[in-house]
Amino acid sequence: MDLQPKAGDEVHGRTANWHSQLAHGSAQHSPAAERNQQPILQVLQQVLPAQGMALEIASGTGQHAAFFAAGLPGWVWQPSDAQADAFGSMAAWCAQAGVANVSAPLVLNVLAPQWPSEGAAFTQPFDAVYCANMLHIAPWATCAALMQGAARHLAPHGRLITYGPYLEHDVPTAPGNLEFDASLRQRNPAWGIRPLADVTQQAALAGLHLSARFQMPSNNLLLVFQRVRPAGQATSLLAAAT
């Protein structure tokens, strides 16, 4: 796969020189992102091909974007966030990591009818859409929006990858997650850890199915969704990943 910029390619075109333009930004630090980035990268290296283009939703500080770009050198990483406040932090982390395969961050609110929310809409499909720790600190409507948006912008064999805590039927919820869920709902009644069954239902409505489930540290899950396949085509990852 040719990773060099092409005329008219809006993803690659925004990459040039953005690190130097935003290098004055200071790197914001998320302890949780630092703790989970290595386990997540190990799964990404397992489930993703050697090359591709990834869209990250809710990139936050940019720690994941920089770390994953370094660990997946064949991939071009497109960070985004609903707010531009942390774009300087994203640039600082990428500069520290010395990565050049990260595109300039974009303002993207999953609830907006167009992705990204500002500027021209994406025209080139992504091989992966990645979203960590968003669904439980956002209104429930963001789940359907994430699924529908991913379905619009994923390549035919692309994957939507989500990470975070979930509630599972017939699986005891860890006490820490119960306390976390209660604290989230106290802060904002629209927040809370989402039942996995409800998330997969929204995925199904968008034409996506859960193809792999990975148990992660600190009672989190990494989920891989792909387009619904015709009957009889088995998935290869789900049984091995649980």
Side-chain angles (χ1 to χ4, degrees), residues 1-241:
M1 177 178 178
D2 183 3
L3 297 180
Q4 297 303 311
K6 300 179 176 66
D9 183 337
E10 76 281 359
V11 175
H12 288 300
R14 295 184 179 111
T15 305
N17 299 321
W18 82 273
H19 299 137
S20 60
Q21 293 169 5
L22 297 178
H24 64 276
S26 59
Q28 302 172 21
H29 180 255
S30 166
E34 183 175 355
R35 288 193 301 269
N36 64 34
Q37 61 188 10
Q38 183 61 45
I40 294 174
L41 176 60
Q42 290 173 347
V43 177
L44 295 181
Q45 290 170 331
Q46 177 180 342
V47 302
L48 294 178
Q51 296 180 324
M53 297 183 62
L55 168 65
E56 181 178 6
I57 305 295
S59 298
T61 64
Q63 287 166 257
H64 279 180
F67 192 79
F68 298 159
L72 299 165
W75 281 72
V76 173
W77 203 264
Q78 174 63 72
S80 72
D81 204 274
Q83 306 290 334
D85 300 354
F87 285 3
S89 175
M90 295 180 195
W93 281 108
C94 289
Q96 289 181 27
V99 293
N101 54 327
V102 179
S103 297
L106 301 172
V107 175
L108 193 158
N109 184 330
V110 294
L111 295 172
Q114 173 188 293
W115 287 10
S117 309
E118 298 180 1
F122 293 131
T123 59
Q124 183 169 348
F126 291 92
D127 302 292
V129 174
Y130 169 79
C131 181
N133 289 325
M134 182 193 78
L135 294 180
H136 57 279
I137 55 172
W140 172 238
T142 59
C143 182
L146 174 65
M147 299 301 175
Q148 296 289 341
R152 288 196 307 270
H153 295 291
L154 278 174
H157 299 288
R159 298 168 173 85
L160 167 64
I161 299 170
T162 68
Y163 172 89
Y166 295 90
L167 303 176
E168 296 185 274
H169 181 63
D170 291 336
V171 176
T173 303
N177 277 357
L178 290 175
E179 295 174 4
F180 183 42
D181 181 60
S183 68
L184 289 171
R185 296 180 186 278
Q186 186 175 24
R187 290 166 58 191
N188 188 324
W191 294 1
I193 299 178
R194 308 306 180 184
L196 180 56
D198 293 348
V199 174
T200 56
Q201 181 182 44
Q202 292 301 318
L205 292 173
L208 303 173
H209 76 286
L210 180 63
S211 63
R213 169 197 176 280
F214 293 85
Q215 186 70 48
M216 304 295 287
S218 301
N219 304 305
N220 290 299
L221 298 177
L222 186 146
L223 307 176
V224 181
F225 297 89
Q226 294 179 269
R227 296 191 187 281
V228 175
R229 299 177 180 177
Q233 291 190 15
T235 58
S236 60
L237 289 173
L238 186 56

